[in-house]
Amino acid sequence: MKELIMIIVGSALVNNVVLSQFLGLCPFLGVSKRTNTAAGMGAAVIFVITVASALCSIIYEQILVRFGMGYLQTIVFILVIACLVQFVELILKKYSRSLYNALGVYLPLITTNCAVLGVALINITKEYGLLPSVINGFGTATGFTIAIIIMAGIRERIEFNDVPKAFQGSPIVLVTASLMAIAFFGFAGLSL
């Protein structure tokens, strides 16, 4: 049990996928303008990464390794992720049209989000079984969601501040992201 707690805390805070591994920056910077949109993207990413971690773990162990086709892991994982994203896109389009429109092009970009594929590959590299893979996937996605919601909250507040002209737009967002990364670096000393 302690090992699973260490995995989830480690993947969410200590090794945050966005702020320490720098994966998934496209949706992190693109969808973090409003907290409600960021929360919706975070929920979609939590679902996709968690389910993708489970499916990729099962497929890798039960099919690819068993039949000596481990070299196909990247292609297979991308196909699994693409199918999951299409499923999420259909559900959002049908039940939450406003969130679907707000996420725009960033929703299909979850397919090519390197964080999603990165988690699946990290699970294989660390030789996690099914449960640790799912826990790592959930923790990573939760860390992504925490980071994107914090960034959205900061960006909403920055919008009404007097920012120097040279820092308006992308520069202040990148400075904010770097300060967040430094803050999350403080979790590196966390021990359970």
Side-chain angles (χ1 to χ4, degrees):
M1 183 67 172
K2 184 177 179 182
E3 179 185 339
L4 296 178
I5 292 171
M6 288 176 62
I7 289 173
I8 198 165
V9 169
S11 60
L13 299 175
V14 178
N15 298 315
N16 186 283
V17 72
V18 175
L19 300 173
S20 70
Q21 297 178 10
F22 306 113
L23 298 174
L25 289 175
C26 180
F28 174 71
L29 296 174
V31 183
S32 63
K33 293 178 183 172
R34 299 278 172 245
T35 52
N36 59 349
T37 308
M41 174 60 90
V45 168
I46 287 174
F47 175 79
V48 170
I49 289 182
T50 304
V51 175
S53 294
L55 290 176
C56 290
S57 178
I58 292 168
I59 290 170
Y60 181 76
E61 291 296 326
Q62 300 299 324
I63 297 172
L64 297 179
V65 171
R66 184 174 286 177
F67 295 107
M69 299 184 301
Y71 58 91
L72 293 175
Q73 68 186 8
T74 304
I75 296 169
V76 171
F77 293 173
I78 289 172
L79 290 173
V80 168
I81 292 164
C83 291
L84 285 171
V85 170
Q86 287 299 311
F87 176 72
V88 169
E89 192 171 3
L90 289 173
I91 296 297
L92 286 179
K93 192 174 186 179
K94 183 169 178 105
Y95 295 109
S96 183
R97 190 67 161 188
S98 61
L99 180 58
Y100 174 79
N101 291 333
L103 292 175
V105 69
Y106 294 101
L107 186 60
L109 280 179
I110 295 174
T111 302
T112 58
N113 185 343
C114 55
V116 182
L117 179 60
V119 171
L121 294 174
I122 287 169
N123 289 338
I124 300 305
T125 302
K126 291 188 175 183
E127 297 180 357
Y128 286 155
L130 178 60
L131 183 59
S133 291
V134 172
I135 296 296
N136 186 47
F138 179 76
T140 301
T142 302
F144 176 87
T145 303
I146 291 168
I148 197 170
I149 289 173
I150 291 172
M151 175 61 99
I154 293 170
R155 286 180 76 174
E156 284 179 351
R157 288 185 162 265
I158 288 175
E159 186 177 338
F160 300 110
N161 291 341
D162 186 25
V163 177
K165 187 167 179 77
F167 283 98
Q168 290 178 357
S170 297
I172 194 68
V173 173
L174 294 175
V175 168
T176 303
S178 65
L179 292 173
M180 285 177 60
I182 291 169
F184 267 69
F185 184 69
F187 289 119
L190 188 67
S191 63
L192 298 174

PDB file of all heavy atoms in Angstrom, residues 44-58 80-81 84 87-88 116 130 133-134 137-138:
ATOM      1  N   ALA A  44     -10.795  15.286 -18.730  1.00  0.00           N
ATOM      2  CA  ALA A  44     -10.608  14.461 -19.933  1.00  0.00           C
ATOM      3  C   ALA A  44      -9.256  13.763 -19.900  1.00  0.00           C
ATOM      4  O   ALA A  44      -9.148  12.570 -20.226  1.00  0.00           O
ATOM      5  CB  ALA A  44     -10.738  15.321 -21.188  1.00  0.00           C
ATOM      6  N   VAL A  45      -8.221  14.468 -19.482  1.00  0.00           N
ATOM      7  CA  VAL A  45      -6.884  13.882 -19.412  1.00  0.00           C
ATOM      8  C   VAL A  45      -6.820  12.805 -18.333  1.00  0.00           C
ATOM      9  O   VAL A  45      -6.194  11.760 -18.528  1.00  0.00           O
ATOM     10  CB  VAL A  45      -5.816  14.983 -19.195  1.00  0.00           C
ATOM     11  CG1 VAL A  45      -4.472  14.399 -18.832  1.00  0.00           C
ATOM     12  CG2 VAL A  45      -5.684  15.834 -20.446  1.00  0.00           C
ATOM     13  N   ILE A  46      -7.474  13.035 -17.191  1.00  0.00           N
ATOM     14  CA  ILE A  46      -7.510  12.005 -16.144  1.00  0.00           C
ATOM     15  C   ILE A  46      -8.125  10.725 -16.684  1.00  0.00           C
ATOM     16  O   ILE A  46      -7.584   9.633 -16.496  1.00  0.00           O
ATOM     17  CB  ILE A  46      -8.266  12.502 -14.891  1.00  0.00           C
ATOM     18  CG1 ILE A  46      -7.428  13.516 -14.118  1.00  0.00           C
ATOM     19  CG2 ILE A  46      -8.642  11.336 -13.977  1.00  0.00           C
ATOM     20  CD1 ILE A  46      -8.141  14.175 -12.961  1.00  0.00           C
ATOM     21  N   PHE A  47      -9.254  10.860 -17.367  1.00  0.00           N
ATOM     22  CA  PHE A  47      -9.907   9.667 -17.917  1.00  0.00           C
ATOM     23  C   PHE A  47      -9.010   8.973 -18.937  1.00  0.00           C
ATOM     24  O   PHE A  47      -8.778   7.762 -18.860  1.00  0.00           O
ATOM     25  CB  PHE A  47     -11.247  10.045 -18.561  1.00  0.00           C
ATOM     26  CG  PHE A  47     -11.922   8.891 -19.245  1.00  0.00           C
ATOM     27  CD1 PHE A  47     -12.614   7.949 -18.500  1.00  0.00           C
ATOM     28  CD2 PHE A  47     -11.847   8.730 -20.622  1.00  0.00           C
ATOM     29  CE1 PHE A  47     -13.231   6.879 -19.123  1.00  0.00           C
ATOM     30  CE2 PHE A  47     -12.456   7.665 -21.246  1.00  0.00           C
ATOM     31  CZ  PHE A  47     -13.149   6.729 -20.501  1.00  0.00           C
ATOM     32  N   VAL A  48      -8.483   9.734 -19.890  1.00  0.00           N
ATOM     33  CA  VAL A  48      -7.700   9.138 -20.975  1.00  0.00           C
ATOM     34  C   VAL A  48      -6.428   8.490 -20.443  1.00  0.00           C
ATOM     35  O   VAL A  48      -6.117   7.345 -20.787  1.00  0.00           O
ATOM     36  CB  VAL A  48      -7.377  10.184 -22.062  1.00  0.00           C
ATOM     37  CG1 VAL A  48      -6.369   9.651 -23.058  1.00  0.00           C
ATOM     38  CG2 VAL A  48      -8.644  10.602 -22.792  1.00  0.00           C
ATOM     39  N   ILE A  49      -5.670   9.192 -19.599  1.00  0.00           N
ATOM     40  CA  ILE A  49      -4.406   8.627 -19.118  1.00  0.00           C
ATOM     41  C   ILE A  49      -4.638   7.413 -18.225  1.00  0.00           C
ATOM     42  O   ILE A  49      -3.925   6.416 -18.341  1.00  0.00           O
ATOM     43  CB  ILE A  49      -3.557   9.691 -18.382  1.00  0.00           C
ATOM     44  CG1 ILE A  49      -3.011  10.704 -19.385  1.00  0.00           C
ATOM     45  CG2 ILE A  49      -2.401   9.043 -17.635  1.00  0.00           C
ATOM     46  CD1 ILE A  49      -2.127  11.778 -18.785  1.00  0.00           C
ATOM     47  N   THR A  50      -5.634   7.473 -17.353  1.00  0.00           N
ATOM     48  CA  THR A  50      -5.896   6.346 -16.453  1.00  0.00           C
ATOM     49  C   THR A  50      -6.314   5.106 -17.240  1.00  0.00           C
ATOM     50  O   THR A  50      -5.760   4.016 -17.038  1.00  0.00           O
ATOM     51  CB  THR A  50      -6.965   6.714 -15.413  1.00  0.00           C
ATOM     52  OG1 THR A  50      -6.550   7.890 -14.712  1.00  0.00           O
ATOM     53  CG2 THR A  50      -7.185   5.594 -14.431  1.00  0.00           C
ATOM     54  N   VAL A  51      -7.271   5.266 -18.137  1.00  0.00           N
ATOM     55  CA  VAL A  51      -7.734   4.119 -18.924  1.00  0.00           C
ATOM     56  C   VAL A  51      -6.643   3.646 -19.888  1.00  0.00           C
ATOM     57  O   VAL A  51      -6.439   2.438 -20.064  1.00  0.00           O
ATOM     58  CB  VAL A  51      -9.046   4.458 -19.673  1.00  0.00           C
ATOM     59  CG1 VAL A  51      -9.464   3.329 -20.589  1.00  0.00           C
ATOM     60  CG2 VAL A  51     -10.153   4.762 -18.671  1.00  0.00           C
ATOM     61  N   ALA A  52      -5.919   4.584 -20.493  1.00  0.00           N
ATOM     62  CA  ALA A  52      -4.833   4.208 -21.404  1.00  0.00           C
ATOM     63  C   ALA A  52      -3.744   3.437 -20.662  1.00  0.00           C
ATOM     64  O   ALA A  52      -3.186   2.475 -21.206  1.00  0.00           O
ATOM     65  CB  ALA A  52      -4.242   5.445 -22.077  1.00  0.00           C
ATOM     66  N   SER A  53      -3.454   3.844 -19.431  1.00  0.00           N
ATOM     67  CA  SER A  53      -2.447   3.120 -18.643  1.00  0.00           C
ATOM     68  C   SER A  53      -2.877   1.678 -18.414  1.00  0.00           C
ATOM     69  O   SER A  53      -2.067   0.756 -18.545  1.00  0.00           O
ATOM     70  CB  SER A  53      -2.222   3.816 -17.301  1.00  0.00           C
ATOM     71  OG  SER A  53      -1.651   5.075 -17.481  1.00  0.00           O
ATOM     72  N   ALA A  54      -4.142   1.491 -18.075  1.00  0.00           N
ATOM     73  CA  ALA A  54      -4.650   0.136 -17.848  1.00  0.00           C
ATOM     74  C   ALA A  54      -4.621  -0.688 -19.133  1.00  0.00           C
ATOM     75  O   ALA A  54      -4.097  -1.804 -19.159  1.00  0.00           O
ATOM     76  CB  ALA A  54      -6.067   0.192 -17.289  1.00  0.00           C
ATOM     77  N   LEU A  55      -5.182  -0.129 -20.201  1.00  0.00           N
ATOM     78  CA  LEU A  55      -5.248  -0.879 -21.459  1.00  0.00           C
ATOM     79  C   LEU A  55      -3.863  -1.166 -22.030  1.00  0.00           C
ATOM     80  O   LEU A  55      -3.604  -2.285 -22.496  1.00  0.00           O
ATOM     81  CB  LEU A  55      -6.085  -0.114 -22.488  1.00  0.00           C
ATOM     82  CG  LEU A  55      -7.582  -0.037 -22.204  1.00  0.00           C
ATOM     83  CD1 LEU A  55      -8.275   0.838 -23.243  1.00  0.00           C
ATOM     84  CD2 LEU A  55      -8.197  -1.422 -22.169  1.00  0.00           C
ATOM     85  N   CYS A  56      -2.989  -0.184 -21.986  1.00  0.00           N
ATOM     86  CA  CYS A  56      -1.643  -0.387 -22.526  1.00  0.00           C
ATOM     87  C   CYS A  56      -0.874  -1.426 -21.720  1.00  0.00           C
ATOM     88  O   CYS A  56      -0.135  -2.234 -22.285  1.00  0.00           O
ATOM     89  CB  CYS A  56      -0.872   0.931 -22.576  1.00  0.00           C
ATOM     90  SG  CYS A  56      -1.508   2.070 -23.820  1.00  0.00           S
ATOM     91  N   SER A  57      -1.061  -1.429 -20.407  1.00  0.00           N
ATOM     92  CA  SER A  57      -0.405  -2.429 -19.567  1.00  0.00           C
ATOM     93  C   SER A  57      -0.888  -3.832 -19.912  1.00  0.00           C
ATOM     94  O   SER A  57      -0.085  -4.761 -20.064  1.00  0.00           O
ATOM     95  CB  SER A  57      -0.676  -2.132 -18.096  1.00  0.00           C
ATOM     96  OG  SER A  57      -0.086  -3.103 -17.264  1.00  0.00           O
ATOM     97  N   ILE A  58      -2.196  -3.980 -20.045  1.00  0.00           N
ATOM     98  CA  ILE A  58      -2.767  -5.293 -20.380  1.00  0.00           C
ATOM     99  C   ILE A  58      -2.310  -5.741 -21.762  1.00  0.00           C
ATOM    100  O   ILE A  58      -1.874  -6.883 -21.948  1.00  0.00           O
ATOM    101  CB  ILE A  58      -4.310  -5.248 -20.294  1.00  0.00           C
ATOM    102  CG1 ILE A  58      -4.751  -5.072 -18.847  1.00  0.00           C
ATOM    103  CG2 ILE A  58      -4.933  -6.499 -20.906  1.00  0.00           C
ATOM    104  CD1 ILE A  58      -6.217  -4.735 -18.674  1.00  0.00           C
ATOM    105  N   VAL A  80      -4.322   2.967 -29.174  1.00  0.00           N
ATOM    106  CA  VAL A  80      -5.198   2.875 -28.002  1.00  0.00           C
ATOM    107  C   VAL A  80      -5.585   4.275 -27.519  1.00  0.00           C
ATOM    108  O   VAL A  80      -6.752   4.569 -27.257  1.00  0.00           O
ATOM    109  CB  VAL A  80      -4.513   2.077 -26.861  1.00  0.00           C
ATOM    110  CG1 VAL A  80      -5.266   2.219 -25.552  1.00  0.00           C
ATOM    111  CG2 VAL A  80      -4.391   0.615 -27.244  1.00  0.00           C
ATOM    112  N   ILE A  81      -4.599   5.157 -27.436  1.00  0.00           N
ATOM    113  CA  ILE A  81      -4.846   6.527 -26.984  1.00  0.00           C
ATOM    114  C   ILE A  81      -5.775   7.260 -27.941  1.00  0.00           C
ATOM    115  O   ILE A  81      -6.704   7.956 -27.521  1.00  0.00           O
ATOM    116  CB  ILE A  81      -3.512   7.281 -26.807  1.00  0.00           C
ATOM    117  CG1 ILE A  81      -2.728   6.676 -25.640  1.00  0.00           C
ATOM    118  CG2 ILE A  81      -3.735   8.768 -26.602  1.00  0.00           C
ATOM    119  CD1 ILE A  81      -1.257   7.062 -25.608  1.00  0.00           C
ATOM    120  N   LEU A  84      -9.346   6.146 -27.377  1.00  0.00           N
ATOM    121  CA  LEU A  84      -9.895   6.713 -26.143  1.00  0.00           C
ATOM    122  C   LEU A  84     -10.255   8.181 -26.309  1.00  0.00           C
ATOM    123  O   LEU A  84     -11.299   8.632 -25.829  1.00  0.00           O
ATOM    124  CB  LEU A  84      -8.895   6.567 -25.001  1.00  0.00           C
ATOM    125  CG  LEU A  84      -8.750   5.169 -24.426  1.00  0.00           C
ATOM    126  CD1 LEU A  84      -7.578   5.107 -23.458  1.00  0.00           C
ATOM    127  CD2 LEU A  84     -10.027   4.747 -23.734  1.00  0.00           C
ATOM    128  N   PHE A  87     -13.428   8.536 -28.189  1.00  0.00           N
ATOM    129  CA  PHE A  87     -14.538   8.214 -27.297  1.00  0.00           C
ATOM    130  C   PHE A  87     -14.890   9.424 -26.422  1.00  0.00           C
ATOM    131  O   PHE A  87     -16.058   9.804 -26.308  1.00  0.00           O
ATOM    132  CB  PHE A  87     -14.179   6.999 -26.431  1.00  0.00           C
ATOM    133  CG  PHE A  87     -15.215   6.638 -25.421  1.00  0.00           C
ATOM    134  CD1 PHE A  87     -16.416   6.052 -25.803  1.00  0.00           C
ATOM    135  CD2 PHE A  87     -15.004   6.890 -24.071  1.00  0.00           C
ATOM    136  CE1 PHE A  87     -17.379   5.726 -24.865  1.00  0.00           C
ATOM    137  CE2 PHE A  87     -15.953   6.572 -23.123  1.00  0.00           C
ATOM    138  CZ  PHE A  87     -17.148   5.987 -23.522  1.00  0.00           C
ATOM    139  N   VAL A  88     -13.882  10.052 -25.818  1.00  0.00           N
ATOM    140  CA  VAL A  88     -14.113  11.235 -24.976  1.00  0.00           C
ATOM    141  C   VAL A  88     -14.708  12.363 -25.804  1.00  0.00           C
ATOM    142  O   VAL A  88     -15.637  13.056 -25.366  1.00  0.00           O
ATOM    143  CB  VAL A  88     -12.791  11.690 -24.305  1.00  0.00           C
ATOM    144  CG1 VAL A  88     -12.945  13.053 -23.650  1.00  0.00           C
ATOM    145  CG2 VAL A  88     -12.340  10.663 -23.288  1.00  0.00           C
ATOM    146  N   VAL A 116       0.494  11.647 -22.388  1.00  0.00           N
ATOM    147  CA  VAL A 116      -0.303  10.419 -22.378  1.00  0.00           C
ATOM    148  C   VAL A 116       0.552   9.236 -22.823  1.00  0.00           C
ATOM    149  O   VAL A 116       0.594   8.196 -22.158  1.00  0.00           O
ATOM    150  CB  VAL A 116      -1.550  10.563 -23.284  1.00  0.00           C
ATOM    151  CG1 VAL A 116      -2.407   9.307 -23.223  1.00  0.00           C
ATOM    152  CG2 VAL A 116      -2.369  11.783 -22.889  1.00  0.00           C
ATOM    153  N   LEU A 130      -0.297  -4.106 -13.600  1.00  0.00           N
ATOM    154  CA  LEU A 130      -1.548  -3.432 -13.942  1.00  0.00           C
ATOM    155  C   LEU A 130      -1.926  -2.360 -12.905  1.00  0.00           C
ATOM    156  O   LEU A 130      -2.145  -1.197 -13.258  1.00  0.00           O
ATOM    157  CB  LEU A 130      -2.687  -4.438 -14.097  1.00  0.00           C
ATOM    158  CG  LEU A 130      -4.061  -3.851 -14.406  1.00  0.00           C
ATOM    159  CD1 LEU A 130      -4.030  -3.072 -15.713  1.00  0.00           C
ATOM    160  CD2 LEU A 130      -5.113  -4.937 -14.459  1.00  0.00           C
ATOM    161  N   SER A 133       0.458   0.596 -12.712  1.00  0.00           N
ATOM    162  CA  SER A 133       0.326   1.379 -13.946  1.00  0.00           C
ATOM    163  C   SER A 133      -0.874   2.302 -13.878  1.00  0.00           C
ATOM    164  O   SER A 133      -0.788   3.472 -14.253  1.00  0.00           O
ATOM    165  CB  SER A 133       0.181   0.460 -15.168  1.00  0.00           C
ATOM    166  OG  SER A 133       1.358  -0.229 -15.427  1.00  0.00           O
ATOM    167  N   VAL A 134      -1.982   1.778 -13.412  1.00  0.00           N
ATOM    168  CA  VAL A 134      -3.202   2.586 -13.293  1.00  0.00           C
ATOM    169  C   VAL A 134      -3.003   3.695 -12.256  1.00  0.00           C
ATOM    170  O   VAL A 134      -3.380   4.847 -12.489  1.00  0.00           O
ATOM    171  CB  VAL A 134      -4.420   1.703 -12.932  1.00  0.00           C
ATOM    172  CG1 VAL A 134      -5.639   2.544 -12.610  1.00  0.00           C
ATOM    173  CG2 VAL A 134      -4.724   0.743 -14.072  1.00  0.00           C
ATOM    174  N   GLY A 137      -0.728   6.292 -13.756  1.00  0.00           N
ATOM    175  CA  GLY A 137      -1.482   7.059 -14.747  1.00  0.00           C
ATOM    176  C   GLY A 137      -2.421   8.056 -14.094  1.00  0.00           C
ATOM    177  O   GLY A 137      -2.477   9.226 -14.478  1.00  0.00           O
ATOM    178  N   PHE A 138      -3.151   7.599 -13.078  1.00  0.00           N
ATOM    179  CA  PHE A 138      -4.076   8.490 -12.372  1.00  0.00           C
ATOM    180  C   PHE A 138      -3.317   9.613 -11.668  1.00  0.00           C
ATOM    181  O   PHE A 138      -3.728  10.770 -11.712  1.00  0.00           O
ATOM    182  CB  PHE A 138      -4.926   7.697 -11.374  1.00  0.00           C
ATOM    183  CG  PHE A 138      -5.884   8.547 -10.610  1.00  0.00           C
ATOM    184  CD1 PHE A 138      -7.049   9.010 -11.205  1.00  0.00           C
ATOM    185  CD2 PHE A 138      -5.618   8.919  -9.293  1.00  0.00           C
ATOM    186  CE1 PHE A 138      -7.934   9.822 -10.508  1.00  0.00           C
ATOM    187  CE2 PHE A 138      -6.490   9.720  -8.581  1.00  0.00           C
ATOM    188  CZ  PHE A 138      -7.654  10.172  -9.187  1.00  0.00           C
TER     189      PHE A 138
END
